[in-house]
Amino acid sequence: DHVTYLCLVLLKCCSPSVEHTLCVHAPCAVFVLLAAELGDYNEDEFCHNYVSEFVFLPEECQTPEFEQEVAEYHRKLVGLVPSQAESAFLERVRWLPLYGVDLHPVKGLAGTDLQVGVGHAGLAVFQNATRVGFY
């Protein structure tokens, strides 16, 4: 549990690539972070915009619609203790394409903007969010 917790903290603090993927693909994964922080939904405890008190994603991704969707997941899925919520979050995000990949901006030979992704499986080269090479 301690290792899972440390991975979750690192993921929440240091991985913008996963956050960006989440803002497009998985508000339900963000819900488990909320459940880990607050526990089960309690109508008497939470105001209508309580999700906006937390910053899960870059500003352009954490829209009121996104927050509403996260709140709906929080209302529906009760009974998870924080460690279960954290495990559910890690189970979802580990399948995302950029999970665990640290992206670094670089210039190609022709002066094109590229990103080199460093991950456990090797190095990946991205151009305009499309993987163009893997080593």
Side-chain angles (χ1 to χ4, degrees):
D1 280 342
H2 187 64
V3 172
T4 301
Y5 175 74
L6 291 176
C7 288
L8 183 68
V9 169
L10 281 172
L11 185 63
K12 283 171 36 177
C13 297
C14 305
S15 187
S17 61
V18 171
E19 287 180 352
H20 177 71
T21 304
L22 283 174
C23 74
V24 175
H25 295 290
C28 54
V30 173
F31 142 74
V32 295
L33 287 174
L34 188 68
E37 292 283 333
L38 299 176
D40 281 345
Y41 177 78
N42 182 340
E43 191 172 331
D44 297 331
E45 240 179 89
F46 304 123
C47 63
H48 72 283
N49 63 345
Y50 70 100
V51 177
S52 63
E53 296 174 17
F54 297 89
V55 178
F56 294 112
L57 302 173
E59 188 175 319
E60 64 274 6
C61 294
Q62 191 161 328
T63 63
E65 294 80 19
F66 178 87
E67 292 174 355
Q68 182 62 34
E69 193 170 349
V70 170
E72 286 300 317
Y73 278 111
H74 192 205
R75 283 186 198 100
K76 290 178 188 175
L77 302 172
V78 295
L80 291 178
V81 298
S83 63
Q84 290 172 318
E86 291 166 358
S87 293
F89 174 77
L90 291 172
E91 180 61 32
R92 286 189 181 272
V93 298
R94 75 185 184 114
W95 297 106
L96 297 173
L98 293 176
Y99 174 70
V101 175
D102 191 16
L103 295 174
H104 301 275
V106 296
K107 291 280 186 187
L109 290 176
T112 57
D113 290 328
L114 302 172
Q115 290 185 311
V116 173
V118 180
H120 75 282
L123 298 174
V125 180
F126 296 90
Q127 183 175 15
N128 297 327
T130 301
R131 188 169 80 177
V132 294
F134 185 78
Y135 309 97

